[in-house]
Amino acid sequence: MVTLSRRATLLGAGAGLALRTTGARAEDTLKIGVVSPLTGPAAESGQFKQNGMQLALDAVNAAGGVLGKKLELVVEDDQTTNPGAVLAFSRLAGRDDIVAFIGPVRSTQVNSMAPDVLKAGKVMMIGGTDPSLTHLGNPWLFRCRPNDTYSAQVIAQFGVKELNKRKWAVVFSTDTFGSNGNKALTAALEKEGIQPVLAQGYTNQQADFTPVVLAVRQSGADILSSYFTYENDLGVFARQVRQLGVRIPWVGSPSIANTTSLNLAGPALYGTYGVSDFSADASPAAKAYAEKYQAAYKSMPDIQSSWAFDAVNILAMAINAAKSTDPQAMRKAVIAIKGYGGAEGEYNFDENGDGLHGYNIVRNDNGKIVFDRHIELTA
Amino acid sequence: MSLFLQLLFTGFGIGAIYAMVSLGFVLLIRAANVVNFAQGEFSMLGAYAMLILFAGLGVPYLLAFVLSVAVMAVFGMVFAGVAYWPLRHRGQLPVIISTIGASILLANAVLAAYGPSPQTLPGMFDNPGFEVGEVFMDSQYLLILAVAALLVLLQYLVFEKTMLGKKLQATSQDKEMASLLGIPVAVMVLITFAYSAAIGGIAGVLVAPILFVSTGLGSLISLKAFAANIIGGFGSIPGAILGGLALGIAETLGAAYISVPYKDAFGFAMLLIFLLLRPQGLFGERIAEKA
């Protein structure tokens, strides 16, 4: 009798203890589910994204966390593929302890997982710049980068008004990002009464761009604009542009100014312009972020990390402002964010979920990316 | 006209890359009867070896090149021991699957060790190229063409004119008979894998200045090289070369004159046509079915 009850007591106490520990552990942290490319062709950008998120996470947690708890990231690999992204998200969507998500930077992957995000019904911060992503009728997608209608308008405005060029050649990847970029740029140019003399698509991961470069040369264009998804493609293209004697001004989508492109293409990109949502000299917040990043990782930050840094901060702000992790309350809190100075720029979330509405023009000055001007759009 | 010549030159250059990787395939098919889907990864590893030796340790270019190729030859033997030898009696399919597995493992092992950043590797010449008329000749492409031609000659001589080559071929055709005749089958297989990996390494080092050093380098070219092999004739050395060149030229011209987004489709359409109309390829095999 005595032994039995003692054992029962011990068991009971043990079980209680176990319950309490697991309970405490689950409540210790608020978890954010992250879908990132850890392998595949975009694995490098996944690493930069991780760096950016970690910087924000450390700062948020050092400042006392969110609702008195520490934030934690749960990362799943999307393998830089659409099926991989869907699979990675499904592993996260089933978990009740995850309060919000940070999605991929590539539009095509965001697009493929968007229906599942709608089903999951929780806020997801995304980096993909395909304009349609925030116009799918999906209330849960929030963008921490300006979308491509803005980049296209800024490219068109800069090329037409500042550089006075009217014969445009557009080279774009045929994936979601590139073809929508092309559409947006064509539309923006149309507003200026301009039809591009060449709109040339290519498929990702090419070993050679000679036919494309020659098409640009033959077209008689006086300005080149590009939407490249992968830096190695951009690197091969840029070198052949120089080798085959194309000397016209070149204004590219953000990838033209990122660290990897600069390393790969080297002198081939000197003198080119790019739109960039992140530029270290664009604002005090951007400058502070750049210094922090350099101190932590000994390399220059770029767009692959800055949006992710902002995403973590915005989620933390939204949860604190909503005073709960209820998805609807969090959604309202994100939309309520106005005038927040992040690393990417000033966030004013609109009803569609777009946080940013302008772009920086940057210039490649012998391998150094310098801030040229910021163009803010009201549309 | 200058436009066409420029495209032709580029097509030849790209084709020579396919051809070189394709040569590695052919060797293993001919001598060991193995279809090696990790052939592209041999190139990727060769490029990384070069990167470490030349850019990392500062070994002079030519010495680093030779060392990289030697490293790959040794790696080829290790690869044979791990991915091929234990499965050699189980028929072709298990070996093919084993090489596919090895290819995934190698690409991801390098990713884990060196990270995902693509790296640049300088070419052998400081001069990026020169213009002949209005055609720009990339010096690296010229080098690739020259080395590819040299390798073909070497390979032809080895296989057709030496006892070693005959032993290698005998091993491929009938291992049991070969071993009854006193040919050391295991040694022949090891030699083939070493040579094949070395050729893969050479291709990697030569291609890297154009396509950069990244873990995806292998998959970018190996599928096309495999297609080149089928177009040229499975297991045929001149076929691998011609198949590679034909593929490179068809892609480049098709892209320029028909459609850039369908560039990859031209190569694979060509593959389909050959499979349907001339499955033995440009240079059909003298021996219809190998044992």
Side-chain angles (χ1 to χ4, degrees):
Chain A
M1 266 310 263
V2 178
T3 5
L4 195 71
S5 85
R6 186 185 290 163
R7 192 182 291 160
T9 325
L10 274 172
L11 272 173
L17 196 69
L19 265 178
R20 229 175 301 131
T21 12
T22 50
R25 227 176 257 151
E27 280 167 26
D28 246 344
T29 59
L30 285 178
K31 292 184 178 60
I32 295 175
V34 182
V35 178
S36 271
L38 303 179
T39 58
E44 184 181 37
S45 74
Q47 184 56 52
F48 291 150
K49 177 180 169 186
Q50 194 65 35
N51 290 350
M53 291 190 301
Q54 195 62 47
L55 270 186
L57 194 74
D58 291 345
V60 166
N61 286 338
V66 174
L67 301 180
K69 291 168 195 156
K70 295 227 179 295
L71 267 189
E72 187 189 332
L73 302 174
V74 184
V75 184
E76 287 285 347
D77 179 19
D78 67 22
Q79 301 164 26
T80 327
T81 67
N82 293 350
V86 172
L87 196 67
F89 184 73
S90 74
R91 283 195 288 262
L92 297 169
R95 293 180 54 165
D96 292 332
D97 57 342
I98 288 178
V99 299
F101 303 99
I102 296 177
V105 74
R106 288 180 202 279
S107 300
T108 169
Q109 273 124 45
V110 178
N111 212 352
S112 65
M113 57 201 270
D116 295 334
V117 177
L118 187 63
K119 266 184 242 158
K122 288 174 193 168
V123 169
M124 173 180 268
M125 310 306 284
I126 56 168
T129 51
D130 170 7
S132 70
L133 293 176
T134 48
H135 295 77
L136 296 167
N138 188 333
W140 301 106
L141 297 178
F142 289 90
R143 178 155 29 211
C144 289
R145 296 178 58 201
N147 79 42
D148 288 329
T149 44
Y150 304 121
S151 77
Q153 286 175 55
V154 167
I155 289 175
Q157 209 174 24
F158 180 71
V160 175
K161 302 226 166 95
E162 306 295 332
L163 301 175
N164 292 316
K165 303 292 181 194
R166 301 190 68 84
K167 288 161 86 177
W168 288 67
V170 186
V171 174
F172 60 96
S173 158
T174 50
D175 66 10
T176 311
F177 161 76
S179 42
N180 281 310
N182 173 51
K183 259 186 241 160
L185 182 57
T186 309
L189 287 171
E190 245 163 41
K191 274 191 211 158
E192 309 285 341
I194 292 171
Q195 278 283 344
V197 292
L198 175 79
Q200 181 64 72
Y202 72 90
T203 46
N204 289 332
Q205 304 296 333
Q206 290 297 323
D208 174 69
F209 280 91
T210 309
V212 179
V213 177
L214 291 179
V216 172
R217 202 171 78 180
Q218 297 298 99
S219 71
D222 60 9
I223 185 166
L224 169 65
S225 182
S226 64
Y227 280 89
F228 273 82
T229 307
Y230 293 102
E231 288 87 358
N232 44 351
D233 281 332
L234 180 65
V236 176
F237 177 72
R239 206 178 37 224
Q240 294 187 321
V241 161
R242 296 309 174 210
Q243 286 179 350
L244 299 175
V246 175
R247 298 273 179 272
I248 54 181
W250 178 2
V251 190
S253 69
S255 61
I256 202 171
N258 73 28
T259 315
T260 313
S261 302
L262 298 184
N263 286 340
L264 293 186
L269 285 176
Y270 289 2
T272 58
Y273 296 95
V275 288
S276 178
D277 30 316
F278 175 73
S279 171
D281 294 320
S283 73
K287 205 174 196 73
Y289 168 70
E291 279 162 9
K292 220 168 157 182
Y293 189 97
Q294 262 181 303
Y297 304 109
K298 314 280 173 251
S299 71
M300 286 296 288
D302 67 8
I303 51 162
Q304 304 288 3
S305 64
S306 52
W307 78 271
F309 173 84
D310 287 348
V312 171
N313 280 330
I314 286 167
L315 283 176
M317 277 169 64
I319 299 171
N320 274 334
K323 296 196 174 54
S324 93
T325 56
D326 171 59
Q328 280 296 350
M330 274 180 69
R331 182 177 177 270
K332 287 202 181 92
V334 175
I335 293 176
I337 291 174
K338 305 280 180 219
Y340 165 64
E344 288 260 327
E346 190 183 293
Y347 283 87
N348 293 294
F349 276 96
D350 58 29
E351 281 293 325
N352 297 324
D354 275 309
L356 298 159
H357 304 87
Y359 261 101
N360 305 306
I361 293 279
V362 293
R363 196 177 68 250
N364 185 324
D365 188 8
N366 290 326
K368 216 172 129 44
I369 294 297
V370 295
F371 177 68
D372 192 278
R373 72 195 68 204
H374 179 84
I375 299 181
E376 184 77 16
L377 298 155
T378 41
Chain B
M1 191 60 191
S2 73
L3 190 74
F4 176 75
L5 289 176
Q6 180 72 63
L7 289 165
L8 204 61
F9 175 76
T10 307
F12 263 105
I14 290 289
I17 295 174
Y18 297 155
M20 222 189 290
V21 177
S22 184
L23 270 185
F25 270 121
V26 171
L27 261 171
L28 281 177
I29 293 166
R30 286 192 63 151
N33 215 4
V34 171
V35 181
N36 176 23
F37 280 91
Q39 191 66 36
E41 270 58 41
F42 287 172
S43 301
M44 183 266 293
L45 289 174
Y48 271 95
M50 185 69 183
L51 189 74
I52 294 164
L53 287 166
F54 177 69
L57 301 175
V59 179
Y61 192 91
L62 280 176
L63 182 61
F65 199 154
V66 171
L67 284 177
S68 304
V69 174
V71 165
M72 285 315 296
V74 174
F75 178 82
M77 290 193 244
V78 175
F79 183 89
V82 177
Y84 165 72
W85 196 250
L87 297 168
R88 67 193 184 282
H89 296 311
R90 305 233 185 121
Q92 273 197 323
L93 202 58
V95 176
I96 288 178
I97 292 172
S98 163
T99 61
I100 294 175
S103 129
I104 298 171
L105 176 76
L106 290 172
N108 284 288
V110 173
L111 181 70
Y114 294 99
S117 300
Q119 314 273 331
T120 51
L121 188 66
M124 191 183 280
F125 310 109
D126 288 335
N127 185 350
F130 47 87
E131 281 180 12
V132 178
E134 281 179 46
V135 178
F136 180 85
M137 303 245 179
D138 189 313
S139 52
Q140 197 67 25
Y141 278 157
L142 289 173
L143 181 66
I144 288 171
L145 280 165
V147 173
L150 212 74
L151 283 175
V152 176
L153 190 68
L154 185 70
Q155 207 153 312
Y156 174 79
L157 289 177
V158 168
F159 266 90
E160 307 295 337
K161 305 287 173 204
T162 69
M163 189 50 90
L164 177 67
K166 295 210 169 16
K167 282 182 185 169
L168 288 169
Q169 289 204 55
T171 309
S172 163
Q173 283 167 20
D174 190 335
K175 289 194 186 59
E176 250 169 50
M177 189 65 203
S179 96
L180 281 176
L181 292 173
I183 298 172
V185 169
V187 176
M188 291 300 125
V189 168
L190 275 183
I191 291 177
T192 313
F193 270 93
Y195 189 36
S196 169
I199 286 197
I202 293 174
V205 173
L206 291 177
V207 165
I210 297 172
L211 295 181
F212 310 117
V213 185
S214 73
T215 52
L217 185 66
S219 57
L220 193 65
I221 36 182
S222 64
L223 203 59
K224 297 281 177 60
F226 185 66
N229 222 313
I230 291 172
I231 292 168
F234 218 55
S236 153
I237 292 173
I241 298 296
L242 271 175
L245 292 177
L247 198 64
I249 293 168
E251 268 188 3
T252 311
L253 293 182
Y257 292 112
I258 306 171
S259 158
V260 174
Y262 284 96
K263 185 175 166 197
D264 292 333
F266 296 121
F268 291 115
M270 202 164 137
L271 174 67
L272 281 179
I273 292 168
F274 266 88
L275 282 175
L276 285 171
L277 301 180
R278 196 177 161 82
Q280 73 272 38
L282 290 170
F283 294 83
E285 289 229 313
R286 276 167 302 179
I287 309 149
E289 178 65 33
K290 282 178 178 170

